[in-house]
Every structure is written in structure tokens, then in C-alpha cells.
Amino acid sequence: MSSPPATAVVLVAHGSRSEAANEAHRELCAQVAAVTGLDVTPGFLELATPSIPDALDQAVATGATRVRVVPYFLHPGRHLAEDLPRLVDEASERHRQRASIELTGHVGGDERMVQLLADLARDQG
Amino acid sequence: MSSPPATAVVLVAHGSRSEAANEAHRELCAQVAAVTGLDVTPGFLELATPSIPDALDQAVATGATRVRVVPYFLHPGRHLAEDLPRLVDEASERHRQRASIELTGHVGGDERMVQLLADLARDQG
């Protein structure tokens, strides 16, 4: 067994009543893991498991000393402005002896999203 | 006044009770318009205006003979599988003398989304 990577990623989604949507998110995590070579696990704000706190605790428990929390959210709102920062702050406090936990920008706020949409609009899918 | 472009784009979002989220979507449309040089207008499935049928009718009314409908949705589900195809079919029927209306893939199903997430995960934001 090799040691786990020092950096782990929790890809955060809102969570859905549709299990197909939740399963699609889990598959997306696997795709991002394959591209990056990092441990990438899902964390759901509500309606699905694991919860974000559980996902963060698990990432630290498996040995990560740095956890990047990537919000798979399109639009700004209370979840991005309040809920996620609070959950990350609480986990940082729980694990401050062992790991740093960092919240990244959300995908919807990224300029590369504009480019992706432009490509779809121009039929360069 | 120049004539409108033959291709118009309706960027479809779910719509939110948060007017800030709806406004962010309208701003995103403006950004995609700036990048593509196309008319890009919002269409909301619910909770905000214009509705998708109204946005499609308006695009045709302004002279577009081809309308690309781009779903700004992350996860597969009933909206993508049923609601959007039905709305596009109905608009195609209404306007079949004047315009073709095409539904593109959604952003969450695009392989470039995996790359965007990988970059965020690896701190290459």
C-alpha cells in the first residue's frame, strides 16, 4: 500500500432528490480523480451522503494534510456565501492540528466557464 | 442599425428564488455574448423571467433563423431529459417556417468541465 497523497479534494454539490443526479456527481469525482491523480471525494450540502463535514473528516482521517474544497455550484447565493465557508471554518477548527482546509472558487464564477459556454453556443462542442 | 445575427443563443438556467442568482445568470449571458459576438439571452425554466418559450419566441421575432439552446445545468435529471426537449420541440413546431431550434449538451456533461474542476482541484485557478 502506498501512502495517501498529502492533498485531497472534496468536490461539493448541493445534493438532489434524484439519486441519478447524486450518482452523476460521484462519477464526476472519479473523473476528476483520474485526471489529477488526487483523492477526490464527493460532499453533499443536503439530500445525499456523505455530508460535507463527513467528507472533510474522512479526507483528514485518511492522511491528507491539505484538503481543497471545490464547489460544484453555478450561481452565487447563500450556500456559497454562507453555508460553505461556515462548514469549512468548522472543519478547519476541528482539524487545525492536522490539516489545512481551503475553499476554492466555484465553477460558475470561473472565466473558463464563459469559454465553455461560448464553445457550446458556437457549435464547437 | 445592422441586421441581427442569423444565429441566436438562449442560455437556459433553472431559475432561483434568489434574484441575485438570476441576475448573475443574466450577466453571464452578457459575458458569453461578448466572447461570441452572438445575441445571447437568458431563459428560465421557472421562478424567473423570461421563460424559455418567451425567450425562444423573442429570439425568432428579432430575426434569428437558427437558435441554439444551451442548458446551464450541472447534473442530468428530469429537466434535461424531459422538460427542455419538450420546450424546444414545441418552439420548433411554432416556428418551423422561420427558424431551426437546436438543444446543445449541458455544461455538466462536457469533458471540459472535468478539466476545469481538475484545475481548481490542483490550485491552477
Side-chain angles (χ1 to χ4, degrees):
Chain A
M1 298 285 286
S2 61
S3 58
T7 298
V9 177
V10 174
L11 188 56
V12 172
H14 185 278
S16 172
R17 288 184 180 81
S18 157
E19 190 47 40
N22 298 330
E23 193 52 40
H25 187 66
R26 295 183 186 104
E27 287 170 19
L28 181 63
C29 290
Q31 290 178 278
V32 177
V35 169
T36 59
L38 299 172
D39 276 353
V40 181
T41 54
F44 294 97
L45 189 62
E46 53 190 55
L47 301 170
T49 57
S51 70
I52 296 169
D54 284 352
L56 294 174
D57 291 353
Q58 181 64 25
V60 175
T62 57
T65 54
R66 180 169 176 251
V67 184
R68 302 223 354 127
V69 184
V70 180
Y72 192 53
F73 280 70
L74 290 176
H75 291 118
R78 186 172 46 83
H79 294 324
L80 280 172
E82 297 174 22
D83 298 335
L84 296 188
R86 176 178 50 78
L87 292 168
V88 167
D89 283 350
E90 289 170 357
S92 293
E93 184 64 24
R94 281 198 301 284
H95 300 297
R96 62 180 166 163
Q97 307 286 342
R98 296 179 62 187
S100 69
I101 303 179
E102 308 160 5
L103 184 60
T104 78
H106 68 292
V107 291
D110 197 287
E111 65 185 19
R112 286 163 291 196
M113 178 65 87
V114 175
Q115 194 57 54
L116 200 172
L117 289 167
D119 288 349
L120 285 171
R122 288 185 296 215
D123 200 6
Q124 295 167 357
Chain B
M1 297 288 284
S2 60
S3 58
T7 296
V9 177
V10 174
L11 187 57
V12 172
H14 186 280
S16 172
R17 287 184 180 81
S18 157
E19 190 47 40
N22 298 329
E23 193 52 39
H25 187 65
R26 296 184 185 103
E27 287 170 18
L28 182 62
C29 291
Q31 290 179 279
V32 177
V35 169
T36 59
L38 298 171
D39 276 353
V40 181
T41 54
F44 294 97
L45 189 62
E46 53 189 57
L47 301 172
T49 58
S51 69
I52 296 169
D54 284 352
L56 294 174
D57 291 354
Q58 181 64 25
V60 175
T62 57
T65 55
R66 178 169 177 252
V67 183
R68 299 212 12 115
V69 183
V70 180
Y72 191 53
F73 280 70
L74 290 176
H75 291 118
R78 186 172 46 83
H79 294 323
L80 281 171
E82 297 174 21
D83 297 334
L84 296 187
R86 175 176 52 77
L87 292 169
V88 167
D89 283 351
E90 290 170 356
S92 294
E93 185 62 25
R94 280 198 301 282
H95 301 297
R96 61 180 167 163
Q97 308 287 342
R98 297 180 62 186
S100 69
I101 302 179
E102 308 161 4
L103 184 59
T104 78
H106 67 293
V107 292
D110 197 287
E111 64 186 21
R112 287 163 290 195
M113 178 65 88
V114 175
Q115 193 58 55
L116 199 172
L117 289 167
D119 289 348
L120 285 173
R122 287 185 296 214
D123 200 7
Q124 294 168 356

